[in-house]
Amino acid sequence: MEDKNKQLDNLLNEAEDLRKNIGNRLHDDLTEGIYVDAAKIVGDSVYTKDKKRAFRMDRAIDNIVTSRIWGFPIMLLLLGIVLWITIIGANYPSRMLSTLLIDIVYPFLKGVGESLHFPVWLSGILIDGVYLATAWVVAVMLPPMAIFFPLFTLLEDFGYLPRVAFNLDNLFRKAGAHGKQALTMSMGFGCNAAGVVATRIIDSPRERLIAIITNNFSLCNGRWPTQILIATIFIGAVVPEGLSHIVATGSVIGIAVLGIGFTFLVSWFLSKTMLKGEASFFVLELPPYRPPRIWQTIYTSIIDRTLVVLGRAVMFAAPAGAVIWLISNIDIEGQSIAVWAINAFDPFALFIGLNGVILLAYIVAIPANEIVIPTILMLTVLSINSITGGSGAGVLFDGNEPEVANILHAGGWTLLTGINLMLFSLLHNPCSTTIYTIYKETGSVKWTTVATVLPIIMGFIVCFLVTQLWHLFA
Amino acid sequence: MNEICNTCKYNTASGLKKLGEKVTDYDYVVALAGNPNTGKSTVFNTLTGLRQHTGNWPGKTVATAMGSFSYLDKTFKLVDLPGTYSLLSTSEDEEIARDFILFGKPDVTIVVADAGRLERNLNLALQILEITDKAVLCLNLMDEAARHGVEVDDRTLARDLGIPVVPTTARSNKGMDNLLQTIYDLAENKIVTQPHRIKNVLGETATAIEKLSNKLTDLYPGLPNSRWIAMRLLEGDTSIITALKEGRLG
């Protein structure tokens, strides 16, 4: 054994000597050797009929979608079409679902609770809390997701994402970041946790950290419905009926583009300060366009993405519903905890153009962005009730858009609140799953904290500035 | 395929049972390697019945996914490795793939290649054949290659590479029965391979590799990939040096 170890040491020493001798030539010699072999093998077994024709279609499409002039407009147009179909299409099923779950099932469950002589707290937690929050998540989230995800997946299957990366590469390099960040950013539009994991395709640790920290600026699927709903209610409502869908779509695109803008800005900032360095070189392969298999894509994206995300939302919504009911119904000195919290947050929140309900909702909804809107609605109804002396904190409302609008207007919301909520939904801490993923990927408390706190601070600043400008001009 | 096909004795794929994520008891480990965006995850899904997210962009799979299936009387654990163009660099995805094939010692390695872009894909395949000799080339995306006017003579290719070559179109489930049978035969040692070794390495580098490789085989008789380890030693790969010292190789 001893002898063998000695022999191994000798061998390793010899290898080291040879290595110094050969040095950098090794890589070139090897690669060259492999290429010569590969070329020879291919020459003997591959026959190409007409070299000119091959991949002609692909190149023709690429010349358009990655061209200097048309690249960006086409990107925005495609995003616009996807969002527009989502906004138009989600409306009707959303209304049906909320009628079913909230107008029909909810009173039925209440009735069952009564006939079983549930104590008030039990039916409160279970039906007013857990059930209602869950029902809200399903009614608000399911239709937009069931439309948005398949459309997005079709684009992905077709091979469009690498073209987006190609278009954005130059901008990323100017920001001192890695061009592949365009891909992880696109993944973030689905789910930030997935986007953070996807940064493993970036080799340089510096550029990878930048990609991780800025991934949160990609609107994730938990936030698209919030954007779409608020845009429809507040921004779509200030223009004539015929234009409302287009304007709402435009404003959601605006927020998404703003997020991309923040990605560049923060990447640039980080690469000039905390993460100094030059952008590294990389090769990106533009894969062939493949005709998407439409039915299979729709099926798998509904099973894989929509139901998984919805399941996660429901899992977090159920306990959050219980928490909302509890903080709304446990009184301290004649006022519920929620009202105390809302009142405590209000001065600061109103100062930056939001309100206490929104901040409290974002705290309750740290586990999942998906439940922000339901939480806001339940808390708003609750605080209206406590002001008007409505009967208890039993929460009952219809789920369609005008009704949601009425609730929010009654809660003192204005167009400014709506805009600020959209901005804050873009700029706030990542959800707890993403935070945990960032910690797992970076293994660093410091960078996890930066990735968590930085967006909140930016959110506060941006909302504050918008509010000041609004008051200045309005 | 419908029920009748699944039980028909002329259907060689009828022995396939997709076992999803159940990976506890298995007879053989099978690794899926290949260039990015050649359809590894599609092959993975077809064999295991799982629904790993597939997408048309390179680098989609960044972690290894596992699943299992059984074919005839044997159960296989299938590991979907990240797609790479090479195994020579130090990026994380290449290290994951390299370490798994080298240290995980899979019983069979499926190298998925894009039939329409074979030359570039062989770059990786030739490197894998330096590490393991139990490999099969899955010549995927045959439909696309045909559409682009590319024809591949898979028999000549198999002879030159010294391993089985199976043309497939995993997206529409074509050729998967042959692939299954080949995996089975390789695992059961019913197919003997004579993998191609990289021949055209230049001058001093070639001599150095030969020299080290011979010493390695003296020290560890039966080491299947001494040339590859020699290359890594010349690269100064510390994980290989550690592995040799800890006796995990050879």
Side-chain angles (χ1 to χ4, degrees), chain A residues 29 37 45 47 285 287 290, chain B residues 37 85 120 151 153 200 205:
Chain A
D29 284 354
D37 276 22
S45 58
Y47 169 67
E285 179 184 1
R290 290 176 183 148
Chain B
N37 211 31
Y85 294 105
R120 196 181 51 209
E151 273 175 29
D153 176 358
N200 288 300
T205 308

Side-chain angles (χ1 to χ4, degrees), chain A residues 6-21:
Chain A
K6 211 169 175 186
Q7 278 178 315
L8 178 62
D9 281 342
N10 283 340
L11 193 147
L12 291 177
N13 286 336
E14 192 176 348
E16 190 60 25
D17 288 344
L18 285 167
R19 188 166 85 87
K20 280 182 192 136
N21 220 348

Side-chain angles (χ1 to χ4, degrees), chain A residues 302-313:
Chain A
I302 284 181
I303 301 290
D304 285 359
R305 290 198 171 170
T306 310
L307 290 186
V308 166
V309 172
L310 188 71
R312 197 178 84 95

Side-chain angles (χ1 to χ4, degrees), chain B residues 198-218:
Chain B
I198 301 166
K199 295 186 186 85
N200 288 300
V201 183
L202 293 176
E204 262 179 85
T205 308
T207 334
I209 292 173
E210 266 339 291
K211 203 167 164 189
L212 276 182
S213 161
N214 287 339
K215 294 216 162 170
L216 278 163
T217 6
D218 286 346

